[in-house]
Amino acid sequence: MKFTNTNSVFKSLLTLFLMVLLFSQLSCSNQNTESSGDDLSVADHFDPKGKAPSKHTLAIWENWKKTLPFEDKRDYEEAQKGFIAAPDFRQIKNAEGRVIWDIGRYDFLLKEQDYQTIHPSLQRIATLNMGYGLFKVTDGIYQVRGFDLSNMTLIEGKTGWILYDVLTTKETAAAALKFANEQLGERPVTAVIYSHTHADHFGGVRGVINEEDVIAGKVKVIAPAGFMDFAVSENVIAGNAMNRRLFYQYGVLLPVSPYGHVDQALSKNVSSGSLGLIAPTISISKPIEELVVDGVKMIFQNTPNTEAPVEMNTYIPEKKALWMAENVTATIHNIYTLRGALVRDALTWSKKISEALYMFGEEADVMFASHHWPRWGNERVQEVLRAQRDTYGHIHNTVLNLANQGVTVNEVHNVYEVPASLQKQWSARSYHGSVEHNSRAIINRYLGYWDANPLTLIPMPERESAPLFVEMMGGAGPIIEKGKELFEEGKYKPAAELLNKLVFAEPQNQEAKDLLADCYEQIGYQQESTSVRNSFLAGAYELRNGIPGGEMPKSVTPDIIRAMSTETWLDFLGVKLNSKKAEGITFKMNIITPDNNEKFLVELSNSTLSNLKGFTAKNADLTLTLNRSDLNMAMMGVKSFEDLLKEGKAKVEGNPQILAQLVGMLDEFDPRFEILPGTKKEKYQSQSADGGFDAPAYIED
C-alpha cells in the first residue's frame, strides 16, 4: 500500500496558508530602480512598455499638491521624536545569507524629490515610513521601527523586557531586539504580548524567546481570547484565491520604483524570513481586564471585530501611555481588504475607538501603535482618536443613509464623500484602505453584493457578454480608436471600460491589452491608496507582459502546522474536492488521533466531503488511527503515510485504497490563475532584467 501522494494534500494546504500569511517584495536585480525626481524619465521605468505620467495625471497631481494640508508638518516631527540610533546596516539576512529585509531599496524616497508618478499624499506617508532604528516613546517604553511591516515595542519591566508585537519573522525580530539591547543595555525578555492575529505581529516570536522558557513559566505570552483559532484559520479556506489577489493588492510582483511599489501604507513591506508561533499562556477574555506584567500594570481593552477578529488595545496608567494596536495608526485601514476576507465592522470599530478615548484618552500623554509613530500630548492624542473614530463612523452612517435612499453597491463609491473637516486631517487619509472600496464594503456587509437589478442576480460571464458588445460597437478597430481618443483626453476610466470589453472578447489582442494597460497605469499613478495603486499597476504589468513567473514557497512552518486544527485541514479537503470526479462515489472514513483524544467522521456523498468532529461511524469503510504529532510529520512532508505504517505509528482498518481514491479526486490549485484574459502563458517564464522577476514570493495579510 502506498500513501505517499497524500502528503501533497497536507503540504499544499500549508504552503497555501503561508503564501497568504506572509508576503515580501521580490528581490530581483531590476527592483533597485532609483531615480532622482527631476531626472525621472520613462527610460527609468522597469517595464519596457511603461509610460510616464500624462499631462492629465500631472494636473491631478498638482491639484492634490495645492489642496492637501502639506503645511501641517507635525507627523514629520513626531516620526523623528525620540530617535536614539539607527543601525549601520539596511539589510537583514537569514542563516543562509538570503536577504529577507531591505529597507535600502526605498532610499530614493529620502532624496527630497517630488515624484509625479506617486500621489503626493502617498509619497508623504511613504517617506514618513522610512523611519529606521530605535526610538524612545516615553520613559521606559521604546520602539524599533523600519525592521519589518510592524514595530517592535519594548517596555521596561521589573526584571526584563516586555515585548509588544514581535514583527513577522524570526530574523527581523532577533535583529531588532539585539539592536535595542546594544543601545539600551541587555535585559532578558519576560513577556511577549500579541495585540492581534495578523502574522506581522506574532511571526517573529522565536527570534526573541524560546518555547522551553515559556513552558517553564519563565516567559509569559499574552494574547486576546480566541487568538490561536483566528491566527491559523482566517486565511485557509479561500487561501489560493487570496494569495493571487494579494499579487495585486500588495504589489507582490511590482519592482520597488517610483513607477512601481513605493510603500505598503503601514510600512514598506513584510520580511520574508522564518515565521513562527508560540501559543499564548494567558488569554485576555473580559472586555476590560487588568494584569500586572513583570511589575507593570496594564489595562487591556478587548476590541473584537475591528481591524482583526480578535484584537486588544492596552493602557499603561503609570506611563499615561495608550497602545492602540492596529486600531488607530496613521492611516484609515481596510474595512474590506482587497485580498478577500469577511467585511469588517466599521460601526464597532468606531465605537471601540470612542471607548478608548473616554476610558483612557482623556488622560493619556502619549498614544502609540504597532505601525507608524506615536502622538504626544493629550490634545494631540484626542485629536487623532476623534478623527479616526469619526472617519469610520461617518462612512458607516452616511453610506447606509445613501443605501436607504436607493444608492447601490455599484454606485456608492461615486457618491459618498468624506467630510471636508476630515479630508484636511492627515490621520484620516486612506493609505491602506480607500474611500472607494471601503464605502462599497459597508453596503456589502449589510445588503450583500446584489444591487437589486434583477438582471444582476444572474449576470452573464464577461467572457460571454463581451463579444456581443464588441460586435455591436463595430469590432476592435472602432473600440481601439475611441479608446485612444479617450486616453488622450485623460478619460482613463471610460477608456478602460470600453477596452476591457475588447480584451475579454479578444484575449490575444495585444494592442488592446497594451492600451488598457496604459489606462490602468495612469489610474494607478493617481491613487493615494497603496492597495488601489498596486492593483492597477500590477494589472498593467500583466496585460503587457503576462503573469510573471518565479519560484513559489517550498517550505512550511512547523509552528503553524502544530497550531492548525485537524478540522480546518478536513474542511479544506472539502474545498479541494473536484465535484465531477467525485460523482457517484460514496464512503465513510474515521480518523482517530489518540494523543489529543480527537476523532472525526469523514463522509463522501452527493459529491460533497463532510466532516464531523467527535463522531465515528460504526460501519466505516476505513479507519485511520495515528497520533496528531505523527500527522504533523506527514503534513510537513518529513514522512509519508507509508513510512508511518511501516514504523507502526499509523494503522488502517478497512479499505486502504479509499485514501488514494480521495487524493485522486482533489484539485491542485494554480497560485497564478488568470485574472485578466490573455495573460497566462503556457509555461511561466523566469524573466530577467528586461522587466520580469525570479524570486520566492511569501504572502501575508
Side-chain angles (χ1 to χ4, degrees):
M1 296 179 293
K2 287 187 178 291
F3 303 107
T4 305
N5 288 342
T6 58
N7 288 315
S8 65
V9 175
F10 296 88
K11 292 177 72 176
S12 65
L13 171 60
L14 270 300
T15 298
L16 178 60
F17 175 76
L18 288 180
M19 290 192 308
V20 176
L21 196 65
L22 175 65
F23 84 89
S24 75
Q25 284 306 114
L26 303 187
S27 54
C28 56
S29 60
N30 69 325
Q31 284 189 318
N32 290 319
T33 302
E34 296 185 10
S35 305
S36 58
D38 293 339
D39 297 329
L40 185 66
S41 71
V42 72
D44 300 305
H45 204 303
F46 59 85
D47 187 342
K49 294 183 179 180
K51 302 293 191 298
S54 69
K55 63 180 181 181
H56 306 287
T57 295
L58 293 177
I60 291 171
W61 187 94
E62 292 288 353
N63 182 63
W64 281 121
K65 194 73 172 175
K66 293 175 183 176
T67 57
L68 286 171
F70 286 100
E71 68 280 0
D72 182 355
K73 303 289 187 181
R74 288 177 296 171
D75 283 337
Y76 286 96
E77 297 165 2
E78 291 166 330
Q80 288 300 313
K81 185 174 179 178
F83 174 74
I84 295 173
D88 59 4
F89 55 86
R90 297 184 75 76
Q91 292 183 337
I92 298 172
K93 299 179 180 180
N94 65 7
E96 290 73 42
R98 181 172 68 85
V99 175
I100 55 93
W101 176 254
D102 184 1
I103 196 171
R105 292 183 297 161
Y106 297 90
D107 282 350
F108 66 89
L109 292 164
L110 300 177
K111 295 182 177 180
E112 298 184 358
Q113 298 286 344
D114 285 338
Y115 295 98
Q116 294 174 320
T117 54
I118 309 171
H119 190 296
S121 176
L122 175 55
Q123 183 172 341
R124 172 190 167 278
I125 191 75
T127 303
L128 285 163
N129 280 338
M130 291 298 290
Y132 183 56
L134 179 67
F135 296 79
K136 180 179 178 179
V137 176
T138 190
D139 289 343
I141 302 178
Y142 305 89
Q143 286 190 320
V144 179
R145 301 180 207 144
F147 278 52
D148 211 315
L149 187 71
S150 58
N151 304 327
M152 180 189 288
T153 299
L154 303 92
I155 301 172
E156 288 183 2
K158 184 177 180 180
T159 62
W161 290 123
I162 303 164
L163 302 184
Y164 223 127
D165 287 358
V166 286
L167 311 186
T168 315
T169 59
K170 177 177 71 175
E171 295 85 351
T172 56
L177 180 59
K178 181 176 183 290
F179 182 67
N181 278 329
E182 289 171 351
Q183 300 299 316
L184 302 172
E186 189 159 353
R187 299 162 64 90
V189 176
T190 55
V192 168
I193 302 175
Y194 304 142
S195 68
H196 64 286
T197 52
H198 295 150
D200 54 314
H201 304 263
F202 67 78
V205 65
R206 290 192 181 273
V208 295
I209 60 174
N210 63 68
E211 196 163 15
E212 291 76 15
D213 287 342
V214 175
I215 294 170
K218 296 179 181 179
V219 179
K220 294 180 174 65
V221 180
I222 304 168
F227 173 86
M228 287 298 284
D229 289 339
F230 287 106
V232 173
S233 65
E234 188 178 13
N235 301 317
V236 171
I237 299 301
N240 193 65
M242 288 182 179
N243 170 45
R244 182 67 177 97
R245 292 158 67 104
L246 265 168
F247 282 21
Y248 279 50
Q249 180 187 355
Y250 284 92
V252 173
L253 302 179
L254 285 175
V256 172
S257 159
Y259 289 101
H261 193 278
V262 298
D263 201 61
Q264 207 48 60
L266 301 172
S267 184
K268 306 321 296 178
N269 56 36
V270 177
S271 62
S272 60
S274 302
L275 183 146
L277 177 60
I278 295 176
T281 58
I282 298 174
S283 292
I284 305 300
S285 57
K286 298 175 183 177
I288 302 294
E289 190 166 337
E290 293 187 13
L291 194 66
V292 176
V293 183
D294 192 16
V296 179
K297 180 181 177 181
M298 296 183 172
I299 304 174
F300 297 101
Q301 177 202 11
N302 260 317
T303 64
N305 301 313
T306 51
E307 189 271 336
V310 295
E311 189 155 352
M312 61 187 188
N313 302 326
T314 308
Y315 186 57
I316 304 173
E318 178 188 352
K319 310 287 187 183
K320 292 189 176 181
L322 177 57
W323 163 271
M324 287 301 293
E326 202 167 322
N327 284 318
V328 175
T329 58
T331 175
I332 296 302
H333 216 290
N334 289 299
I335 296 171
Y336 162 62
T337 181
L338 298 182
R339 65 174 172 85
L342 296 178
V343 175
R344 294 160 181 168
D345 189 340
L347 182 59
T348 293
W349 203 333
S350 175
K351 286 179 178 291
K352 289 298 182 181
I353 295 174
S354 194
E355 186 178 280
L357 169 62
Y358 284 103
M359 289 191 69
F360 315 118
E362 289 188 313
E363 72 171 37
D365 286 336
V366 63
M367 178 176 66
F368 59 116
S370 53
H371 300 282
H372 303 126
W373 50 90
R375 317 302 178 118
W376 284 273
N378 185 256
E379 183 179 348
R380 177 68 161 152
V381 169
Q382 291 199 45
E383 173 195 332
V384 174
L385 285 170
R386 281 191 172 86
Q388 293 225 346
R389 177 198 65 182
D390 294 346
T391 304
Y392 292 112
H394 186 274
I395 195 170
H396 174 274
N397 296 341
T398 304
V399 164
L400 289 177
N401 176 291
L402 293 167
N404 279 301
Q405 297 182 62
V407 177
T408 72
V409 68
N410 294 322
E411 298 168 335
V412 69
H413 56 290
N414 293 314
V415 179
Y416 172 73
E417 292 183 3
V418 177
S421 59
L422 287 172
Q423 290 187 39
K424 293 294 185 179
Q425 299 188 59
W426 289 121
S427 61
R429 304 300 300 184
S430 293
Y431 300 112
H432 201 33
S434 79
V435 174
E436 291 81 5
H437 75 257
N438 278 346
S439 60
R440 299 182 74 188
I442 301 295
I443 293 183
N444 189 47
R445 180 177 176 86
Y446 285 89
L447 300 175
Y449 64 86
W450 184 41
D451 63 0
N453 181 338
L455 183 64
T456 60
L457 279 174
I458 47 172
M460 290 179 64
E462 197 159 13
R463 285 177 172 82
E464 295 182 17
S465 64
L468 178 60
F469 280 90
V470 170
E471 179 185 350
M472 296 303 294
M473 286 187 280
I479 294 174
I480 289 177
E481 183 178 348
K482 186 63 176 178
K484 289 179 178 178
E485 178 185 325
L486 291 169
F487 181 87
E488 292 301 322
E489 295 173 359
K491 298 177 180 177
Y492 304 122
K493 290 180 182 177
E497 288 281 349
L498 287 179
L499 293 163
N500 185 67
K501 296 293 185 186
L502 178 55
V503 168
F504 270 90
E506 300 180 9
Q508 303 310 316
N509 189 327
Q510 193 59 50
E511 183 182 8
K513 288 191 291 185
D514 285 348
L515 186 53
L516 179 57
D518 291 345
C519 296
Y520 277 10
E521 187 171 53
Q522 296 301 320
I523 295 170
Y525 291 159
Q526 296 172 16
Q527 300 307 306
E528 184 177 27
S529 165
T530 58
S531 297
V532 181
R533 173 189 171 91
N534 291 340
S535 297
F536 275 99
L537 296 184
Y541 185 89
E542 290 190 7
L543 285 165
R544 289 166 173 160
N545 304 286
I547 303 170
E551 182 183 0
M552 298 304 293
K554 293 180 178 178
S555 61
V556 296
T557 300
D559 287 350
I560 301 297
I561 294 171
R562 287 196 298 267
M564 182 175 291
S565 71
T566 307
E567 185 175 17
T568 296
W569 169 66
L570 291 171
D571 288 342
F572 186 66
L573 292 192
V575 172
K576 292 193 69 174
L577 184 75
N578 186 304
S579 180
K580 298 296 184 183
K581 292 181 180 179
E583 195 167 340
I585 300 174
T586 62
F587 62 71
K588 292 179 181 178
M589 176 171 61
N590 297 326
I591 298 178
I592 300 171
T593 51
D595 60 340
N596 63 356
N597 296 313
E598 287 189 342
K599 55 186 178 181
F600 293 86
L601 168 57
V602 180
E603 184 173 2
L604 177 62
S605 62
N606 298 308
S607 296
T608 303
L609 190 69
S610 61
N611 72 84
L612 187 61
K613 185 178 180 180
F615 289 80
T616 56
K618 294 180 180 179
N619 59 341
D621 300 290
L622 171 68
T623 296
L624 173 65
T625 304
L626 76 169
N627 285 330
R628 173 58 202 258
S629 59
D630 293 317
L631 185 59
N632 289 338
M633 301 300 288
M635 294 172 75
M636 286 184 277
V638 175
K639 292 184 179 180
S640 68
F641 278 114
E642 186 176 28
D643 294 332
L644 295 173
L645 284 167
K646 288 179 180 178
E647 295 171 6
K649 293 182 178 179
K651 66 177 183 177
V652 293
E653 299 175 16
N655 180 8
Q657 297 306 315
I658 286 174
L659 282 174
Q661 185 180 37
L662 175 59
V663 170
M665 293 184 289
L666 300 178
D667 285 331
E668 290 298 324
F669 296 134
D670 181 356
R672 289 187 177 88
F673 61 78
E674 188 175 82
I675 292 176
L676 299 171
T679 56
K680 185 174 181 180
K681 301 175 181 179
E682 287 292 324
K683 294 182 179 179
Y684 296 114
Q685 300 175 3
S686 285
Q687 302 168 24
S688 57
D690 60 355
F693 321 97
D694 186 11
Y698 299 91
I699 311 300
E700 185 266 357
D701 177 14

